[in-house]
Amino acid sequence: MPIRVHSDVEGLEHCYVEVSERWSTSDFSAIFSGRENWIEVFRRRAVGCNLETADGETLTNPNDAIDRFDDLDLRLVFLVNNSLTIATDHLATLGKATRLASSGAVG
Protein backbone atom coordinates (compact mmCIF):
# COMPACT_ATOMS: atom_id res chain seq x y z
CA MET A 1 0.00 0.00 0.00
CA PRO A 2 1.52 3.35 -1.03
CA ILE A 3 2.42 6.00 1.51
CA ARG A 4 0.53 9.24 0.85
CA VAL A 5 2.44 12.40 1.73
CA HIS A 6 -0.04 15.27 2.02
CA SER A 7 0.42 19.00 1.66
CA ASP A 8 -0.24 20.98 4.82
CA VAL A 9 -0.54 24.29 2.93
CA GLU A 10 -3.88 25.98 3.57
CA GLY A 11 -6.05 25.57 0.50
CA LEU A 12 -3.83 22.81 -0.93
CA GLU A 13 -4.52 20.08 1.63
CA HIS A 14 -5.97 17.94 -1.19
CA CYS A 15 -2.56 17.77 -2.85
CA TYR A 16 -0.30 14.78 -2.23
CA VAL A 17 2.40 12.47 -3.57
CA GLU A 18 1.99 8.70 -3.19
CA VAL A 19 5.21 6.76 -2.69
CA SER A 20 5.73 3.02 -2.96
CA GLU A 21 6.47 1.15 0.24
CA ARG A 22 8.96 -1.10 -1.62
CA TRP A 23 12.50 0.31 -1.34
CA SER A 24 16.02 -1.03 -1.63
CA THR A 25 18.92 0.40 0.32
CA SER A 26 20.47 1.50 -2.99
CA ASP A 27 17.33 3.49 -3.82
CA PHE A 28 17.46 5.09 -0.40
CA SER A 29 21.13 6.04 -0.83
CA ALA A 30 20.48 7.41 -4.32
CA ILE A 31 18.00 10.04 -3.13
CA PHE A 32 20.86 11.74 -1.28
CA SER A 33 23.47 11.46 -4.05
CA GLY A 34 22.50 14.23 -6.43
CA ARG A 35 19.48 15.63 -8.23
CA GLU A 36 19.67 13.31 -11.25
CA ASN A 37 19.69 10.22 -9.02
CA TRP A 38 16.83 11.65 -6.97
CA ILE A 39 14.79 12.18 -10.15
CA GLU A 40 15.47 8.61 -11.28
CA VAL A 41 14.28 7.22 -7.93
CA PHE A 42 11.26 9.55 -7.87
CA ARG A 43 10.22 8.25 -11.29
CA ARG A 44 10.40 4.66 -9.98
CA ARG A 45 9.01 5.08 -6.47
CA ALA A 46 6.38 7.84 -6.76
CA VAL A 47 3.26 5.94 -7.83
CA GLY A 48 0.60 8.64 -7.73
CA CYS A 49 -0.02 12.29 -7.06
CA ASN A 50 -2.56 15.06 -7.00
CA LEU A 51 -0.69 18.32 -7.52
CA GLU A 52 -1.57 21.71 -8.91
CA THR A 53 0.33 23.97 -11.25
CA ALA A 54 0.52 27.71 -10.63
CA ASP A 55 -2.28 28.06 -13.20
CA GLY A 56 -4.55 25.63 -11.31
CA GLU A 57 -4.10 22.62 -13.61
CA THR A 58 -4.16 19.27 -11.79
CA LEU A 59 -1.31 16.81 -12.32
CA THR A 60 -2.06 13.17 -11.45
CA ASN A 61 0.96 11.45 -13.01
CA PRO A 62 4.15 11.62 -10.90
CA ASN A 63 6.27 11.86 -14.06
CA ASP A 64 4.41 15.07 -14.90
CA ALA A 65 5.49 16.47 -11.53
CA ILE A 66 9.09 16.12 -12.71
CA ASP A 67 8.56 17.05 -16.35
CA ARG A 68 6.54 20.13 -15.37
CA PHE A 69 8.33 20.93 -12.12
CA ASP A 70 8.76 24.60 -13.09
CA ASP A 71 4.98 24.89 -13.58
CA LEU A 72 4.08 23.61 -10.09
CA ASP A 73 2.46 25.92 -7.60
CA LEU A 74 5.46 27.19 -5.66
CA ARG A 75 3.81 26.16 -2.40
CA LEU A 76 3.98 22.49 -3.51
CA VAL A 77 7.66 22.39 -4.47
CA PHE A 78 8.69 21.53 -0.90
CA LEU A 79 6.16 18.68 -0.85
CA VAL A 80 7.52 17.14 -4.06
CA ASN A 81 11.17 17.63 -3.08
CA ASN A 82 10.67 16.03 0.33
CA SER A 83 8.08 13.35 -0.44
CA LEU A 84 10.63 10.54 -0.82
CA THR A 85 12.46 11.43 2.39
CA ILE A 86 9.21 11.74 4.36
CA ALA A 87 8.02 8.37 3.05
CA THR A 88 11.31 6.60 3.82
CA ASP A 89 11.38 8.15 7.31
CA HIS A 90 7.95 6.60 7.85
CA LEU A 91 9.10 3.24 6.49
CA ALA A 92 12.15 3.26 8.75
CA THR A 93 9.92 3.40 11.84
CA LEU A 94 7.74 0.45 10.82
CA GLY A 95 8.51 -2.77 12.62
CA LYS A 96 10.55 -1.07 15.32
CA ALA A 97 8.85 -2.95 18.15
CA THR A 98 9.40 -6.25 16.35
CA ARG A 99 13.10 -5.52 15.93
CA LEU A 100 13.42 -4.69 19.60
CA ALA A 101 11.58 -7.81 20.69
CA SER A 102 13.49 -10.13 18.39
CA SER A 103 16.82 -8.66 19.50
CA GLY A 104 16.13 -9.80 23.05
CA ALA A 105 15.54 -6.32 24.40
CA VAL A 106 13.16 -5.93 27.27
CA GLY A 107 10.58 -3.23 27.69
Side-chain angles (χ1 to χ4, degrees):
M1 174 179 246
I3 298 159
R4 188 174 282 187
V5 181
H6 284 274
S7 168
D8 60 359
V9 174
E10 187 175 333
L12 295 174
E13 295 91 347
H14 62 283
C15 294
Y16 61 83
V17 175
E18 287 182 330
V19 179
S20 170
E21 74 282 2
R22 310 288 273 175
W23 280 73
S24 67
T25 54
S26 60
D27 283 340
F28 180 71
S29 296
I31 65 174
F32 302 105
S33 63
R35 184 72 176 162
E36 291 305 314
N37 291 332
W38 181 91
I39 289 171
E40 182 183 324
V41 174
F42 186 91
R43 290 189 186 279
R44 282 197 319 271
R45 298 299 178 213
V47 296
C49 69
N50 186 43
L51 300 166
E52 289 187 11
T53 66
D55 295 329
E57 183 181 348
T58 300
L59 304 179
T60 57
N61 182 327
N63 286 321
D64 292 342
I66 297 301
D67 296 339
R68 300 197 47 207
F69 189 81
D70 291 340
D71 297 331
L72 284 175
D73 185 308
L74 182 61
R75 298 169 295 171
L76 296 175
V77 169
F78 182 81
L79 172 70
V80 172
N81 279 338
N82 291 291
S83 59
L84 299 181
T85 306
I86 292 168
T88 54
D89 283 351
H90 174 72
L91 287 170
T93 64
L94 297 177
K96 184 176 180 183
T98 303
R99 283 194 309 270
L100 290 175
S102 62
S103 70
V106 224

